[in-house]
Amino acid sequence: MDESTDVPKTTLDQHFTRFYSIEHDICVCRHNNGILMLMIAEHHSVIKNLSSIAVEKIEFRDVAQVSGKRKRGGTTIQDGTKLASVFMSDGTVIEVRSPVRGVLLEINDALCTKPELIQNDPFNRGYLCTVLPMGRNDLKDAQKSCIGLIPKQDYFTRKQHPDINSLSTFPAT
């Protein structure tokens, strides 16, 4: 239970550490085992205009099939790789890009049939994809994949005060 509100912690809060990309407005949730889940961050333009502009369709990039215990055959992505195009009701198309390098394990197929989930439930059923960090031999490799990302509080501060540049990032180790 969260002592401040007496609300039970979600699975996301219990087993994942959240990091944010200012450049891409993506939340990267790192699981205790190193796997990453990518989600639209709270200040992303897809969510910002929630009350007036709806998501009509999401098209993901092609993803190679992964197989086996070691997840072989996935699609390699880099920082800046296009993950999806989000088509909005006002006619704009927003490209969603990855803030991390790794192997794209899966995309959230539910977004193809229910694209509104990306706006209405981005941290649960509306997640974008799961990524295996590049060179994932141990937890250190998973930590390296979050270098340059910032903690949640710094993300919100930076979005409210864009002139602030001296905020913490995940430390290089």
Side-chain angles (χ1 to χ4, degrees):
M1 295 275 248
D2 184 342
E3 294 173 15
S4 62
T5 60
D6 293 329
V7 175
K9 285 187 173 185
T10 65
T11 300
L12 189 67
D13 292 332
Q14 288 177 2
H15 302 289
F16 290 83
T17 304
R18 292 186 193 197
F19 299 97
Y20 287 79
S21 165
I22 286 286
E23 180 182 358
H24 302 294
D25 278 326
I26 297 291
C27 176
V28 177
C29 297
R30 188 184 71 215
H31 190 271
N32 297 336
N33 67 8
I35 297 290
L36 306 174
M37 287 185 71
L38 277 55
M39 303 161 184
I40 294 289
E42 291 89 333
H43 287 280
H44 196 285
S45 55
V46 168
I47 293 178
K48 260 202 276 194
N49 301 316
L50 178 61
S51 60
S52 60
I53 304 170
V55 173
E56 290 188 338
K57 178 173 76 167
I58 299 175
E59 289 180 358
F60 283 97
R61 65 171 290 134
D62 291 335
V63 179
Q65 187 71 27
V66 294
S67 62
K69 184 176 177 181
R70 301 244 183 234
K71 306 296 184 204
R72 298 197 195 291
T75 302
T76 301
I77 58 173
Q78 303 294 326
D79 180 7
T81 298
K82 180 180 166 185
L83 297 172
S85 296
V86 180
F87 296 83
M88 306 299 287
S89 61
D90 68 349
T92 59
V93 179
I94 299 170
E95 288 188 353
V96 178
R97 298 193 173 273
S98 174
V100 295
R101 350 176 298 150
V103 176
L104 189 57
L105 296 179
E106 71 168 351
I107 58 166
N108 183 0
D109 289 329
L111 293 176
C112 296
T113 56
K114 293 184 177 184
E116 66 275 5
L117 290 174
I118 200 169
Q119 285 180 313
N120 301 333
D121 197 9
F123 289 99
N124 191 9
R125 296 177 302 150
Y127 76 95
L128 291 166
C129 59
T130 57
V131 175
L132 183 67
M134 195 62 86
R136 187 179 160 266
N137 295 323
D138 56 24
L139 192 54
K140 276 194 174 187
D141 286 331
Q143 290 172 336
K144 286 179 192 174
S145 66
C146 294
I147 291 173
L149 301 178
I150 61 176
K152 182 178 183 176
Q153 187 58 45
D154 289 350
Y155 172 76
F156 282 99
T157 301
R158 192 96 167 255
K159 284 299 183 175
Q160 292 169 355
H161 307 284
D163 53 323
I164 298 175
N165 290 319
S166 60
L167 297 173
S168 61
T169 59
F170 192 82
T173 53

